[in-house]
Amino acid sequence: MKLFRWAAVFIIAALFVPVSAAGAERPRSVVPLTLTEDQYAGGRIYLPVLIGNVMGTMRLDTGASSTRVRLASWNKDLPALGQSVSTGASGATMRCDDVEAQNVELVADQGSNVARAKYQVTRCPPGDADDLLGLDFFKGARFSLNIDRRELIFFGDTIASGRPKPFRRLGPEGNLVGVDLRFGNTAAVGLFDTGAEVSAVDQQFLRKHKALFTAVNAKAQASGVGGKRISLKVYKIKSLELGEGRVLRDLYAISYDFGALRAALGRNVSFLIGYNLIRKFDWDFDFRAPDSPTWDAKLK
């Protein structure tokens, strides 16, 4: 996290708990987003986060199953509960400690903060990479993402079509989510990954379906594990459909070998739904039912 000390006192509540015995949801909360935009309409999404009495920003990364922070003075004394290996899309790995953080909150500028009283995060060696807020933070939540308004809205009105679709649960434990896609007449699965600056397609899939892509005489810079920058070929996707008339044309995508992703998430995962695709829609998400999360999107 990019951090500074926070002196104000907040009232902490359990995450996403209804506020009335009658079953009504808690009031609407709006968390502001900070965006950085890059080449090929790519970019990153950051949120204001308070951990204990330390305030900072974290990058929203739905392609990470858990939250990852770099070792720093504010978290060095958090006791380790165990160890795990953090693996990037390229297959590069990093050994990290699993630690328990107290009072982790998304700081709202309207309504109440969205908080967890106790939350396990992964603490990794120092580096140039951003600290990442992973998908597991949102268990039990219903929320919307509006990039044009720069808002993450919890328990507000729906902003998409009102016809939610089931996410495809990915990975051995189903702790990541994907969307069924069509490239022309060819079906595929895309990992929903706000942490991907630009959407990406598997080299293996691209070689089998060359007619669906147009090569661009350029390369893009992308971030790997630990923040290392790598240079990758760029393509345009001729036609990409998310269903119900949600069709995009000439969307930029980078390409690399998804071998590590296929091994972790399944051989049908041929695409990363990154920032440059996500920004073209208004999104609704519902993770209140752990075994059947849903998504909905409205093309802008």
Side-chain angles (χ1 to χ4, degrees), residues 20-135:
S20 78
E25 292 179 341
R26 60 179 289 175
R28 178 176 181 267
S29 293
V30 180
V31 177
L33 307 176
T34 300
L35 309 177
T36 62
E37 299 195 341
D38 207 339
Q39 56 188 349
Y40 307 111
R44 302 181 180 189
I45 304 170
Y46 294 90
L47 307 94
V49 180
L50 180 68
I51 301 181
N53 67 339
V54 179
M55 178 73 182
T57 59
M58 299 186 78
R59 183 175 170 187
L60 178 63
D61 189 358
T62 60
S65 58
S66 61
T67 290
R68 189 182 75 199
V69 299
R70 294 162 295 176
L71 177 64
S73 59
W74 69 270
N75 64 45
K76 65 182 178 61
D77 294 325
L78 296 178
L81 305 176
Q83 283 196 324
S84 59
V85 175
S86 181
T87 304
S90 67
T93 61
M94 182 186 302
R95 185 166 295 279
C96 306
D97 290 329
D98 297 323
V99 301
E100 185 175 84
Q102 303 287 325
N103 302 332
V104 180
E105 305 179 61
L106 302 186
V107 180
D109 62 5
Q110 298 178 41
S112 302
N113 289 356
V114 179
R116 284 191 183 276
K118 292 183 179 180
Y119 180 48
Q120 184 172 306
V121 304
T122 303
R123 182 180 61 201
C124 295
D128 296 330
D130 292 318
D131 290 335
L132 307 176
L133 188 73
L135 189 64

Side-chain angles (χ1 to χ4, degrees), residues 229-246:
R229 302 293 283 178
I230 52 178
S231 183
L232 300 167
K233 290 184 178 180
V234 181
Y235 296 83
K236 280 187 177 180
I237 303 167
K238 293 181 179 179
S239 176
L240 176 62
E241 182 177 357
L242 282 70
E244 297 188 356
R246 292 176 286 235

